[in-house]
């Protein structure tokens, strides 16, 4: 039984049932295959019952991350998980190792160490004399579904805690699975999940008083008389109380203030990081509190004449910090000590938002929210349709429960949390209240159109689209007993209940297609939500290697060697705040608010980090001024003024030596800096609304001692901003200084900048805005004004230039940069003031932007769109503006001044447009239908029909067509349906497979892949889908083009039961003959029977390989959580002809699987491709009849490659279209 048998019957292999290739478990050391000593940390598999552990096991792809240089070859599981997150299950049960020449270790006589828990290693010094380790790749055997019982939990407390009573105890165990796919179906383990046993709380004791406690502190610390209290508790028996009083009150005599000469209270006030806090007010707690001291520059304080006992407390208060309390500790010598730690005030930040709910009238519902901050919020307020609910009536806190629901209670609900530091509002949640008997999920599917192949006839209306139906994934009503609202329950959603197969007549044959026949309620799909991307330097593109990644204050991972990262978005996240930290401190920490697709899948992001400015040396004894934004061609925005003695050590001691000062300024007058700006320029106002800021510059500071490099802080310093840089008069009155909270991504006010006259040196007289600041934390600072002139811009993305409503793209990142107003407002019209990014949903995206109702050109916006790193193209604005193509009708389009980036210069990119954000006039009917909406009309913008005005982007690709028998919209993972004929069998992980075809002929040709079931008994002979791709000309080879054609990967189908090797036919259009097959691919297919009949010379047929192979075979495989991203990466590698590269140019003669020679056919003669379209049954029969000859031209020898199919860390970009031009005859590789 070979490797195919291992993949099909992994459980049998696990028990050693006849597999010829060994399954290595823990052994060390010894010749592979010989018994060895157990690895010290060998995992215990006792809890894994293979009789109930699902339906078998499956091998992973092959991994090869190390080469046998140095001490040997090390393929550790830890390193593999670092580079290929999620590709290996948590507990592999076996491991295999082979050399890159496909030999087993015992065949080459090498000593190796293997363990499914630790991985593989081969050490050179352990090998026989004269030998060194070969280059190995390994793979792991993972149980499918991995269903097993967990360990029993501890026994619960007794259900009856009252003495003299009996009750029960329970313990539970869970039926768990290590595979994400199992979450889509019910898990069933043999045995009971709960055990119970009787218990008793024991007999009741007789009632008795405990000992009296100590006397509490006097209610008056000094001055008038007070009282003190002591308490005791009663040990009750069967609710029989003790006789007597539980509390005693005693008067304490008055004492003068102060009354103890020679007694001293000493202490310190510091931050949570240990930095000294000056000017803190120290109070002796009492009624009322008494101010006794203030802390000095080093955070120390002293107060004489106080002789409080150990029961007294002091409190410290300082602006910007939450009050702190500490006990007084006396040593009996007349000196008492107290140390207070103050936490910086942090505005509340919402961490749990209420969820949308559907209920039937008469049921109840619970909404929950939760906020964090310093101090922790304890005051919550709930609102229904914007009106605050009466707290006494509903008795709510962070939870709101509504009972006996009526239709009038439907609407939006949100909460607000409040502390002394500020307030924050949650996102609104929609409550739908259905009448008795009303259905929340209609059984009739909504229309959804798919395009049929070109050979299918058009309908009466001239359309080639067919309605396959869809079920909207809306929430369903909860059951009568559903009272939850704060957990992570999946809930119930509308989905596909039944599909039916139909057949469509197309060119003499019947095309199968599955359509939705009925919708119904079921468990909501829980797709993984990911953000992937790469972190690089904004100036050089240098990757951030192994940088730290934080979500809030929690470290979640590192970037890869090429700066790549993958973040799984936690459930219920509304705002994803990520901080990237360079451990070498070359870059300023980047705090980003990353957009993500809540419907599942991965969104790609390019993150830019600002390089720290080289430090300059300053004298700590002198006053210093550091310019902010100084450049050769412009005046600085302002300056940072540091008076003499401003630098402090964390202890509060003034540092007077040499200071190395690095002040990095992000200048918005330079458009290139927009991508490196941190956060999304938002803050929480007094009402808790998150509102935008408009920036005039950001700066980060890093002060260190010249010799030791120790970090320094500063006392009060001055920030001076040149008022001449602000031409909008209203901004001069609203300018403030802000600092960024790295955990919430929100800006917090540090101070106000007020106008003050002044000059600098011998330059002209200028006016400055001046503000004060203390730098005691490494934060990013900002010169900003709140801006209330806001609108929303409606943008949609399409799969092509047809702009079909059914071909909109979801998961596209739309970015909008607010540019400076035109002259007459600020000085430089090229400066930017704000940026926002939004991910498109099924109805496009609405982006916030600054706008103006008085002057259309007062504010403008620069808009781009990317999908998986690929830039989408905007609609052209020249040589003639077409309102129908742009998506906005006249005369409003003229008012917006739409211009694509290449409007005046055809050499510029076509991937962005610029508009005037002209606020719509409500009295002008031409401006009430989008694409600009007033800020209060967000709901209208989000729900606008596709016929309303909107701005557009679209994908530019070579001609291609995709058809799936089971319809699936790749941009909406919730549209996936579990079916044996589904193109993608697993909605959590998408494996894209491509074959590279070289065509020698005078033109570009369409190439089709026809994919049918090959070996699975449920799908054998049935169509999965079709893929048509036009070849792309190789500009360096005459009369040669190449095509990267997708085919359905072999592997498990949706039920994860058996492997199907897809039967793939590759057929080029035209009069073509197959002239060569990649020798390695041919040998692989011959070694892994059955072998498909491949007799017709006008086509190539194979049973697709189960292994990922690589470029040496002409097969390109990539696995990712986003199907489009997986396909883009695979196509980029296919164009390049490598297993880890990426190219926009077709290299047709590199990494090719099969070659065809095509000629112009004689007039009147049909090509095989055309015969396949008109009479597919006869054409496919012809494949089996004809005999080919003279093929098999051997490919040049290449290095064996076993690519794992992991995602490339770099961005994917738009591939070259056939219209791209390149000079002919150049040798590949020359500049």
């Amino acid at each position: 039984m070979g490797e195919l048998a291992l993949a099909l019957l992994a459980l049998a292999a696990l028990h050693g049932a006849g597999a010829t290739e060994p399954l290595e478990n823990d052994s060390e050391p010894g010749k592979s295959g010989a018994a060895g000593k157990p690895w010290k940390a060998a995992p215990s598999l006792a809890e894994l019952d293979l009789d109930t552990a699902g339906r078998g096991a499956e091998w992973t792809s092959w991994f090869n991350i190390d080469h046998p240089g140095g001490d040997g070859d090390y393929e550790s599981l830890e390193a593999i998980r670092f580079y290929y997150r999620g590709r290996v299950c948590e507990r592999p049960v076996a491991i295999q190792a082979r050399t890159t020449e496909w030999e087993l270790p015992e065949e080459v006589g090498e000593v190796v160490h293997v363990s499914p828990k630790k991985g593989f290693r081969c050490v050179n010094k352990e090998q026989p004399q004269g030998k060194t380790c070969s280059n190995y790749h390994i793979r792991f055997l993972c149980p499918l579904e991995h269903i097993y019982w967990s360990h029993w939990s501890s026994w619960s407390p007794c259900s009856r805690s009252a003495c003299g009573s009996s009750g029960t105890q329970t313990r539970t165990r869970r039926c768990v699975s290590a595979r994400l796919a199992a979450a889509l179906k019910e898990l069933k383990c043999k045995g009971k999940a709960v055990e119970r046993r009787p218990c008793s709380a024991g007999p009741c004791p007789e009632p008795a008083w405990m000992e009296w406690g100590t006397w509490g502190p006097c209610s008056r610390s000094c001055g008038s008389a007070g009282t003190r209290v002591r308490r005791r508790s009663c040990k009750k028996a069967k609710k029989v109380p003790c006789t007597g009083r539980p509390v005693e009150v005693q008067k304490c005599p008055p004492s003068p203030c102060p009354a103890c000469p020679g007694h001293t209270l000493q202490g310190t006030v510091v931050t949570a990081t240990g930095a000294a806090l000056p000017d803190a007010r120290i109070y002796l707690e009492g009624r009322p509190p008494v101010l006794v001291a203030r802390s000095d520059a080093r955070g120390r304080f002293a107060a004489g004449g106080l002789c409080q006992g150990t029961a007294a407390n002091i409190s410290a208060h300082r602006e910007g910090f939450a009050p702190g309390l500490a006990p007084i500790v006396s040593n009996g010598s007349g000196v008492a000590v107290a140390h207070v730690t103050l936490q910086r005030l942090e505005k509340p930040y919402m961490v749990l938002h209420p969820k949308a709910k559907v209920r039937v009238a008469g049921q109840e519902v619970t909404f929950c929210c939760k906020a964090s901050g310093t101090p922790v919020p304890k005051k919550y307020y709930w609102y229904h349709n914007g009106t605050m609910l009466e707290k006494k009536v509903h008795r709510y806190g962070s939870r709101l429960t509504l009972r006996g629901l009526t239709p009038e209670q439907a609407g939006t609900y949100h909460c607000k949390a409040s502390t002394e530091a500020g307030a924050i509002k949650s996102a609104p949640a929609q409550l739908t209240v259905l009448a008795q008997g009303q259905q929340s999920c209609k059984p009739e599917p909504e229309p959804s159109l798919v395009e049929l192949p070109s050979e299918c006839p058009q309908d009466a209306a001239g359309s080639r689209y067919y309605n396959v139906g869809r079920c909207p994934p809306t929430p369903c009503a909860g059951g009568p007993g559903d009272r939850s609202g704060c957990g992570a329950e999946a809930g119930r959603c509308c989905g596909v209940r039944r599909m039916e197969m139909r057949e469509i007549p197309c060119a003499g044959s019947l095309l199968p297609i599955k359509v939705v026949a009925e919708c119904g309620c079921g468990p909501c799909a829980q797709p993984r939500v990911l953000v992937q991307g790469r972190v690089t330097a904004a100036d050089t593109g240098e990757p951030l290697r192994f940088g730290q990644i934080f979500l809030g204050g929690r470290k979640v991972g590192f970037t890869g060697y090429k700066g790549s990262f993958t973040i799984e978005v936690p459930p219920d996240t509304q705002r994803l705040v990520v901080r990237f930290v360079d451990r070498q401190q070359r870059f300023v920490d980047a705090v980003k608010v990353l957009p993500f697709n809540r419907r599942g899948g991965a969104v790609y992001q390019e993150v830019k980090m600002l390089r720290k400015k080289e430090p300059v040396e300053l004298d700590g004894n002198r006053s210093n001024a550091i310019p902010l934004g100084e450049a050769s061609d412009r005046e600085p925005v302002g300056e940072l003024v540091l008076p003499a003695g401003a630098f402090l050590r964390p202890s509060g001691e003034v540092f007077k030596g040499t200071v190395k000062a690095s002040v990095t300024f992000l200048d918005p007058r330079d458009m290139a800096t927009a991508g490196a700006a941190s956060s999304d320029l938002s803050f929480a106002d007094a009402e808790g609304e998150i509102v935008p800021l408009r920036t005039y510059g950001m700066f980060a500071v890093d002060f260190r001692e010249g010799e030791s490099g120790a970090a320094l802080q500063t006392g009060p310093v001055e920030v001076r901003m040149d008022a001449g840089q602000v031409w909008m008069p209203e901004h001069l009155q609203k300018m403030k200084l802000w600092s960024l909270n790295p955990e919430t991504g929100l800006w917090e006010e540090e101070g106000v900048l007020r106008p003050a006259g002044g000059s600098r040196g011998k330059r002209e007289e200028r006016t400055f805005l001046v503000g004060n600041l203390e730098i005691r934390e490494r934060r990013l600072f900002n010169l900003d004004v709140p801006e209330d002139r806001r609108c929303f811009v409606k943008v949609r993305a399409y799969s092509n230039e047809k702009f079909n409503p059914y071909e909109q793209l979801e998961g596209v990142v739309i970015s909008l940069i607010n540019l400076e107003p035109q002259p007459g407002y600020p000085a430089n019209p090229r400066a930017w003031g704000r940026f926002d990014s939004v991910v498109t949903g099924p109805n496009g995206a609405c982006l916030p932007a600054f706008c103006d109702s008085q002057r259309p050109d007062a504010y403008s916006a620069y808009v781009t769109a990317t999908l998986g790193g690929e830039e989408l193209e905007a609609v052209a604005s020249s040589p003639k503006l077409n309102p129908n193509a742009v998506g906005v009708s006249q005369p409003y389009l003229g008012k917006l001044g739409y211009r694509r980036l290449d409007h005046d210069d055809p050499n510029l990119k076509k991937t962005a447009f610029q508009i005037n954000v002209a606020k719509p006039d409500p009295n002008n009917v031409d401006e009430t239908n989008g694409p600009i909406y007033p800020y209060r009309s967000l709901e209208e913008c989000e729900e606008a029909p596709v016929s309303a005005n909107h701005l557009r982007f679209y994908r530019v690709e070579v001609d291609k067509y995709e058809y799936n028998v089971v319809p699936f919209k790749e941009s909406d993972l919730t549209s996936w349906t579990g079916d044996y004929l589904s193109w993608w069998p697993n909605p959590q992980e998408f494996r894209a497979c491509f074959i590279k075809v070289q065509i020698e002929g005078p033109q570009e040709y369409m190439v089709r892949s026809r994919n049918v079931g090959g070996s699975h008994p449920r799908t054998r002979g049935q169509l999965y889908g079709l893929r048509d791709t036009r070849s792309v000309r190789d500009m360096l080879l005459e009369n040669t083009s190449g095509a990267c054609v997708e085919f359905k990967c072999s592997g498990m189908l949706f039920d994860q039961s058996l492997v199907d090797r897809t039967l793939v036919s590759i057929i080029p259009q035209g009069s073509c003959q197959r002239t060569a097959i990649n020798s390695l691919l041919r040998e692989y297919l011959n070694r892994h029977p059955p072998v498909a009949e491949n007799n017709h010379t006008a086509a190539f047929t194979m049973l697709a390989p189960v292994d990922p192979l690589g470029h040496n075979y002409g097969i390109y495989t990539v696995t990712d959580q986003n199907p489009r991203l997986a396909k883009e990466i695979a196509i980029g590698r296919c164009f390049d002809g490598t297993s880890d590269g990426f190219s926009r140019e077709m290299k047709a003669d590199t990494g090719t699987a099969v070659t065809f020679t095509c000629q112009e056919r004689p007039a009147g003669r049909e090509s095989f491709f055309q015969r396949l379209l008109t009479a597919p049954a006869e054409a496919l029969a012809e494949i089996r009849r004809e005999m080919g000859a003279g093929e098999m031209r051997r490919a040049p020898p290449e290095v064996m490659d076993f690519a794992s199919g992991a995602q490339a860390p770099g961005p994917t970009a738009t591939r070259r279209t056939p219209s791209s031009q390149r000079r002919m005859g150049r040798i590949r590789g020359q500049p």
Side-chain angles (χ1 to χ4, degrees), residues 999-1046:
I999 298 181
E1000 298 172 348
Q1003 60 187 23
E1004 295 171 334
Y1005 299 84
M1006 292 296 294
V1007 183
R1008 166 169 289 187
S1009 77
R1010 180 181 176 87
N1011 304 266
V1012 300
S1015 61
H1016 197 288
R1018 294 291 297 267
T1019 62
R1020 186 179 295 118
Q1022 297 187 60
L1023 183 68
Y1024 288 116
L1026 307 173
R1027 296 294 187 267
D1028 292 344
T1029 302
R1030 183 175 295 280
S1031 64
V1032 177
R1033 187 171 298 282
D1034 188 321
M1035 292 299 180
L1036 297 182
L1037 299 175
E1038 187 175 359
N1039 291 331
T1040 303
S1041 61
C1044 293
V1045 187
E1046 184 185 7

Side-chain angles (χ1 to χ4, degrees), residues 280-429:
R281 303 182 304 279
I282 314 300
Y283 288 89
L284 185 64
E285 286 296 286
R287 301 180 181 177
V290 179
L291 177 65
V292 296
R294 288 180 181 268
S295 60
D296 62 14
R298 303 185 68 172
R300 299 177 298 194
F301 64 86
L306 296 179
C307 53
Q308 295 301 308
T310 57
N313 294 318
I314 66 163
S315 62
H317 301 253
R318 192 180 190 276
E319 186 177 355
F321 291 83
L325 194 68
I328 297 176
V329 180
S330 177
N331 58 10
S333 62
V335 178
V337 179
H339 300 284
V340 189
T341 299
L342 298 187
Q343 301 283 341
R344 183 187 178 98
L345 274 181
E346 290 188 353
K347 286 192 172 185
Y349 184 70
M350 200 62 64
V351 295
L352 177 63
H353 297 260
K355 299 178 182 179
K357 299 291 177 69
V358 178
R359 292 290 185 270
V360 177
Q363 293 182 346
E364 69 176 56
V365 68
T366 298
F367 291 109
C368 300
C369 72
K370 182 181 178 182
S372 64
T374 304
V376 177
K378 296 181 179 179
K379 296 180 180 179
Y380 288 88
Y381 307 91
W382 284 92
Y383 296 79
H384 175 219
N385 293 335
T387 301
M388 189 170 74
L389 298 175
E390 193 68 40
K391 200 164 190 174
K392 293 182 180 179
V393 175
H394 296 280
R395 300 181 180 276
Y396 58 71
S398 61
R399 293 187 177 207
L400 171 67
T401 299
L402 304 174
R403 297 179 175 84
L405 288 172
T406 62
E408 291 75 21
Q409 291 177 289
T412 60
Y413 289 81
H414 76 269
C415 77
K416 182 170 76 171
S418 177
T419 67
E420 60 191 86
I424 190 69
K425 286 183 180 179
S426 72

Side-chain angles (χ1 to χ4, degrees), residues 750-1081:
E750 290 283 345
V752 179
L753 276 73
R754 303 189 182 280
S759 61
R760 190 173 71 184
K762 297 182 180 180
R763 299 188 180 186
E764 72 280 4
E765 187 78 14
R766 293 191 295 167
T767 301
F768 288 92
L769 301 177
V770 180
N772 294 315
L773 173 71
E774 288 187 7
I775 303 173
R776 298 188 179 274
E777 293 182 83
R778 290 182 58 198
R779 284 196 171 197
L780 188 65
F781 300 97
N782 199 354
L783 303 168
D784 275 20
V785 293
E787 180 59 88
D788 53 7
R789 289 177 287 185
R790 294 172 283 164
C791 289
F792 285 99
V793 181
K794 184 75 172 190
V795 182
R796 299 180 189 269
Y798 294 86
S799 59
N800 51 56
E801 279 188 278
K802 298 177 183 178
F803 304 120
N804 190 309
Y806 295 100
E807 295 180 322
Q808 292 190 66
L809 295 176
E810 299 181 43
V812 176
V813 180
I814 311 292
S815 297
L816 184 149
I817 301 176
N818 285 268
L819 301 179
E820 280 283 355
Q822 294 295 324
Y825 286 77
N828 190 336
R830 289 294 298 168
W832 60 272
R834 178 179 172 78
F835 57 89
D836 285 278
S837 295
V838 177
V839 176
T840 58
N843 199 34
C846 294
L847 291 99
F850 296 146
C851 59
D852 192 272
S853 59
Q854 302 300 317
R855 288 185 53 181
D857 59 352
Y859 285 98
S860 58
Y862 178 89
V863 188
T864 61
T866 58
L867 178 62
E870 170 196 355
E871 294 180 308
L872 274 61
E873 192 162 303
V875 179
S877 59
S878 63
K880 185 178 180 180
L881 188 64
N882 183 352
N884 292 328
V886 175
V888 182
S889 59
Q890 294 285 18
Y892 198 18
L893 180 60
K895 187 175 181 180
L896 298 180
Y898 177 91
R899 294 165 67 92
R900 196 168 71 176
L901 195 60
D902 66 340
H903 184 85
D904 295 319
D905 186 354
N907 294 320
L908 295 179
K909 296 169 70 175
K910 304 175 182 179
T911 55
F913 64 80
Q914 185 171 329
I915 60 169
N916 300 323
V917 191
K919 188 173 183 179
D921 182 358
N923 299 318
N924 187 339
V925 67
D926 295 324
E927 300 180 10
T928 58
N929 195 32
I932 313 297
Y933 294 84
Y935 188 74
R936 297 298 177 187
S937 301
L938 174 59
E939 184 176 353
E940 181 183 349
C941 176
E942 292 178 334
E943 297 178 359
V946 71
S947 58
N949 288 337
H950 60 273
L951 299 159
R952 295 170 173 172
F953 286 94
Y954 62 93
R955 298 188 75 185
V956 179
E957 297 181 319
V958 295
D959 294 341
K960 76 169 190 176
Y961 170 74
E962 299 179 358
Y963 173 77
N964 298 325
V965 171
V966 180
F968 173 61
K969 192 174 182 180
E970 292 178 353
S971 60
D972 179 12
L973 302 189
T974 61
S975 67
W976 181 86
T977 303
D979 191 279
Y980 282 98
L981 294 177
S982 294
W983 184 275
W984 307 98
N986 185 351
Q988 303 285 357
E989 190 173 67
F990 297 88
R991 187 180 181 199
C993 295
F994 284 78
I995 184 171
K996 189 168 185 177
V997 180
Q998 179 179 347
I999 298 181
E1000 298 172 348
Q1003 60 187 23
E1004 295 171 334
Y1005 299 84
M1006 292 296 294
V1007 183
R1008 166 169 289 187
S1009 77
R1010 180 181 176 87
N1011 304 266
V1012 300
S1015 61
H1016 197 288
R1018 294 291 297 267
T1019 62
R1020 186 179 295 118
Q1022 297 187 60
L1023 183 68
Y1024 288 116
L1026 307 173
R1027 296 294 187 267
D1028 292 344
T1029 302
R1030 183 175 295 280
S1031 64
V1032 177
R1033 187 171 298 282
D1034 188 321
M1035 292 299 180
L1036 297 182
L1037 299 175
E1038 187 175 359
N1039 291 331
T1040 303
S1041 61
C1044 293
V1045 187
E1046 184 185 7
F1047 64 90
K1048 186 185 185 306
C1049 305
S1050 293
M1052 292 288 183
L1053 300 185
F1054 88 101
D1055 65 351
Q1056 301 295 308
S1057 176
L1058 292 175
V1059 167
D1060 181 38
R1061 290 189 64 186
T1062 311
L1063 180 62
V1064 180
S1065 299
I1066 304 297
I1067 309 118
Q1069 179 188 23
S1071 181
C1072 301
Q1073 295 289 316
R1074 187 180 69 249
T1075 55
I1077 298 176
N1078 183 297
S1079 60
L1080 294 177
L1081 177 60

Side-chain angles (χ1 to χ4, degrees), residues 707-751:
E707 294 184 0
S708 67
L712 294 172
Q713 305 171 355
T714 75
V717 299
E718 200 173 74
V719 178
R720 297 164 61 87
M721 180 180 179
D722 184 0
Q725 299 291 334
V726 185
W727 281 27
M728 299 184 76
E730 62 271 27
H731 283 186
L732 291 172
Q733 307 301 320
K734 298 189 293 183
M735 189 70 64
K736 295 181 180 181
L737 187 64
W738 308 76
S739 67
L740 180 62
N741 186 323
E743 295 188 9
T744 67
L746 294 174
W747 294 88
E748 298 176 355
E749 184 179 335
E750 290 283 345

Side-chain angles (χ1 to χ4, degrees), residues 143-189:
L144 292 175
E145 297 184 6
H146 205 149
I147 300 174
Y148 58 91
W149 285 115
S150 65
H151 290 295
W152 284 107
S153 66
S154 302
W155 286 103
S156 68
C158 192
S159 62
R160 295 291 182 89
S161 59
C163 59
S165 61
S166 60
T168 58
Q169 286 179 291
T170 61
R171 65 175 183 174
T172 61
R173 57 179 178 173
R174 294 180 298 112
C175 185
V176 297
S177 170
R179 289 181 59 86
L180 295 173
L184 300 175
K185 61 191 75 173
E186 184 179 0
L187 304 180
K188 293 183 179 179
C189 295

Side-chain angles (χ1 to χ4, degrees), residues 1116-1144:
Y1116 302 85
T1117 305
V1118 171
T1119 302
D1120 196 86
Q1121 285 78 15
N1122 185 306
R1124 290 191 177 276
L1125 194 58
K1127 290 161 70 170
E1128 285 299 322
I1129 297 171
I1131 292 172
R1133 294 176 180 176
C1134 181
F1135 267 59
D1136 193 53
T1138 63
S1139 293
D1140 56 1
F1142 183 87
S1143 177
R1144 301 179 184 180

